[in-house]
């Protein structure tokens, strides 16, 4: 609820460079907490990566990412914010980046925002190319590029994120231990569960707390 968010000061969280859900990072809610200011205006960069990292050959697509080097100094690290389920419009560089003297890199998840590989948003494309493994491989390719071409002086790689991006951070460290030195995983649902009905139940309980009609409306929409 918004009063609680006021109590913990979202503007402070934004300054830390901590990952926030997509609906809190942009728009009117972000503006009300002065979060948009934590995302400096910068032009996106692009890296050609394989559409299928695990195929012998195939087409490539342009991975969209942002760089913020305002806190980077000699001996600093590469701080990679894992992409989430929404558009990426910039790259924060707050107190975490300052503490790590980090160059911050933020990419946009394939098939979210305007990142639609080959312009194909069909169910077939989602089924074949939209997966955790492909996302991790995208970020791995970006890290290799950033370390070799952008920040060769970086002494280590730290990945971070919250919720799904937090789980991706943990999976990134586990899958690519020679590439990623540390992961900061905030509230990560690291155990994937199919047909996770309890998640829907918890949402209905939360929606019922202000007014049971909210939960009833949600149930009708999701039926």
């Amino acid at each position: 609820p918004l009063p609680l968010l006021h109590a913990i000061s979202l503007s402070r969280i934004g300054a830390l460079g901590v990952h926030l859900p997509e609906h809190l990072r942009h728009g009117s809610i972000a503006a009300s907490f002065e979060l948009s200011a934590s995302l400096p205006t910068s032009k996106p960069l692009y890296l050609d990566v394989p559409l299928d990292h695990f195929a012998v050959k195939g087409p490539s697509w342009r991975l969209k990412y942002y760089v913020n080097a305002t806190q980077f100094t000699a001996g600093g690290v590469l701080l990679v914010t894992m992409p989430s389920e929404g558009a990426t419009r910039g790259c924060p560089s707050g107190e975490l980046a300052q503490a790590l003297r980090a160059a911050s890199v933020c990419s946009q998840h394939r098939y979210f925002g305007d990142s639609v590989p080959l312009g194909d948003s069909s169910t077939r494309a989602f089924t074949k190319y939209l997966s955790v493994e492909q996302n991790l491989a995208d970020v791995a390719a970006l890290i290799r590029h950033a370390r070799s071409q952008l920040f060769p002086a970086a002494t280590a790689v730290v990945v971070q994120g919250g919720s799904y991006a937090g789980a991706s951070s943990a999976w990134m460290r586990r899958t690519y231990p020679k590439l990623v030195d540390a992961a900061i995983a905030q509230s990560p649902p690291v155990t994937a569960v199919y047909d996770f009905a309890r998640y829907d139940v918890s949402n209905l309980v939360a929606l019922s707390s202000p007014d049971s009609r909210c939960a009833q409306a949600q149930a009708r929409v999701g039926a």
Side-chain angles (χ1 to χ4, degrees):
L2 291 180
L4 176 59
L5 297 181
H6 272 294
I8 64 175
S9 179
L10 279 183
S11 60
R12 173 67 173 171
I13 294 176
L16 289 172
V18 172
H19 175 89
L20 291 170
E22 171 66 16
H23 68 285
L24 287 181
R25 285 187 283 128
H26 310 289
S28 59
I29 294 179
S32 69
F33 291 103
E34 300 179 348
L35 289 178
S36 297
S38 68
L39 290 173
T41 301
S42 60
K43 292 183 178 180
L45 302 173
Y46 295 90
L47 177 68
D48 287 338
V49 298
L51 179 59
D52 186 347
H53 289 272
F54 309 104
V56 176
K57 62 180 180 179
S60 63
W61 71 285
R62 302 179 75 204
L63 175 66
K64 182 178 182 180
Y65 69 98
Y66 293 84
V67 171
N68 188 330
T70 55
Q71 305 288 359
F72 185 62
T73 60
V77 308
L78 184 66
L79 179 62
V80 179
T81 298
M82 296 298 292
S84 60
E85 317 91 306
T88 298
R89 298 182 176 89
C91 197
S93 185
E95 292 180 17
L96 177 59
Q98 183 178 15
L100 296 174
R101 295 181 292 168
S104 300
V105 177
C106 307
S107 62
Q108 183 166 272
H109 203 298
R110 56 170 62 198
Y111 296 106
F112 286 92
D114 56 1
S115 291
V116 183
L118 308 183
D120 184 2
S121 58
S122 66
T123 301
R124 176 185 176 279
F126 291 168
T127 302
K128 190 171 183 179
Y129 302 119
L130 178 57
S131 68
V132 169
E133 292 80 7
Q134 297 287 1
N135 175 47
L136 298 184
D138 284 343
V139 176
L142 179 58
I143 290 174
R144 295 187 187 99
H145 171 73
R147 294 212 72 175
S148 63
Q149 303 297 321
L150 303 179
F151 303 103
T155 57
V157 175
V158 178
V159 296
Q160 69 151 348
S163 190
Y164 164 63
S168 296
S169 298
W171 295 329
M172 193 76 196
R173 167 64 178 153
R174 180 173 181 176
T175 306
Y176 298 95
K178 294 183 179 180
L179 193 63
V180 176
D181 298 286
I184 301 173
Q186 304 154 30
S187 302
V190 292
T191 302
V193 179
Y194 286 102
D195 296 324
F196 189 27
R198 286 176 295 172
Y199 178 78
D200 297 322
V201 171
S202 67
N203 282 343
L204 288 176
V205 171
L207 288 169
S208 297
S209 60
D211 191 323
S212 62
R213 290 173 297 179
C214 294
Q216 294 167 5
Q218 177 64 31
R220 286 196 298 273
V221 171

